[in-house]
Amino acid sequence: MKAIPIAVTVLLALSWLTGCQREDLDEPLKLSGKVFIFNYRVAQATYVVTLARNGPLPDPSFVETTFENPAGGAPLVTRTKIFPFWEKVSLESPPVHCVIKDRPYAVSIRILDASDKVLQTIETTLTSSLDQTVMPGKALVVGPVYTPNPEVYGADGTVDYAKGQTCPAA
C-alpha cells in the first residue's frame, strides 16, 4: 500500500522536472548587447550588437545582419561566419553617418546554416544616447601610431574640426 503513494510522488516529481526544460533551445543565439560606438579619433560611428550562444549550431553557420542606414538609402548588410568555439558573436556595421540621438534604428539578424537556410531571426532596434554632431568631420589621427592628421592640424598651429557631412533632416 505504501508503494502507490511513493510511485505517485515520483511521477509528480518527474512531470514537474519536464516542465523545467529550456523553452529556447530552438534559438541558438540570444541578444546580449547593443550599442553605437563613436570613435572620435577616426571620425567614425558604428553599430555593435553582441549575441550569446544559447544552444548548438551547425558548422558552418553564418550571421547576416541588416542595419538601417541612418543617412538614408539602402540598408547596410554584413555576413559573418560563426566559429564553433565562439561563445559570443560580435556584429559590427560598416561606418555610419547622421546618427540622431534618441531615434531607434532597426537591426535585423538572420542565423543561417551552410545552405543559407534560416535557423533563427532576431529583430531589434538600437537607439543612440549621442548625436553624430559630437564627431569631427575628419579623422583626428592617421596611421597605426595615431599621427595627427595634417588635414585637421595645420603646420601653422591652426585646427579645423569642420563638419563635412551633410545629413537629411530628422
Side-chain angles (χ1 to χ4, degrees):
M1 294 287 178
K2 289 187 178 185
I4 293 175
I6 292 173
V8 170
T9 304
V10 169
L11 285 174
L12 284 173
L14 288 176
S15 67
W16 179 75
L17 286 175
T18 58
C20 293
Q21 296 295 318
R22 284 180 42 191
E23 297 175 8
D24 56 359
L25 285 178
D26 58 337
E27 297 178 348
L29 295 171
K30 64 181 178 181
L31 189 65
S32 63
K34 53 188 181 175
V35 68
F36 274 103
I37 302 290
F38 288 91
N39 186 337
Y40 66 91
R41 289 183 180 190
V42 293
Q44 290 183 344
T46 56
Y47 290 83
V48 176
V49 176
T50 55
L51 305 173
R53 176 95 47 167
N54 194 42
L57 280 169
D59 186 27
S61 294
F62 302 90
V63 179
E64 184 181 274
T65 311
T66 304
F67 301 95
E68 181 178 349
N69 188 343
L76 308 166
V77 180
T78 63
R79 183 176 171 101
T80 306
K81 180 177 178 6
I82 303 172
F83 291 94
F85 56 88
W86 283 0
E87 290 300 315
K88 299 238 182 238
V89 178
S90 181
L91 309 170
E92 186 171 356
S93 73
V96 295
H97 302 282
C98 304
V99 176
I100 298 170
K101 178 181 177 176
D102 297 329
R103 182 196 182 282
Y105 293 97
V107 179
S108 178
I109 301 165
R110 295 185 331 144
I111 314 304
L112 309 167
D113 68 8
S115 62
D116 285 342
K117 177 186 167 204
V118 177
L119 304 173
Q120 178 184 359
T121 59
I122 301 171
E123 300 288 333
T124 189
T125 59
L126 207 149
T127 305
S128 176
S129 61
L130 294 174
D131 203 82
Q132 185 94 20
T133 58
V134 301
M135 300 287 282
K138 299 175 186 170
L140 301 181
V141 294
V142 293
V145 293
Y146 292 109
T147 304
N149 185 347
E151 293 180 25
V152 175
Y153 302 101
D156 60 355
T158 60
V159 179
D160 178 15
Y161 296 121
K163 310 283 187 220
Q165 183 68 37
T166 57
C167 295

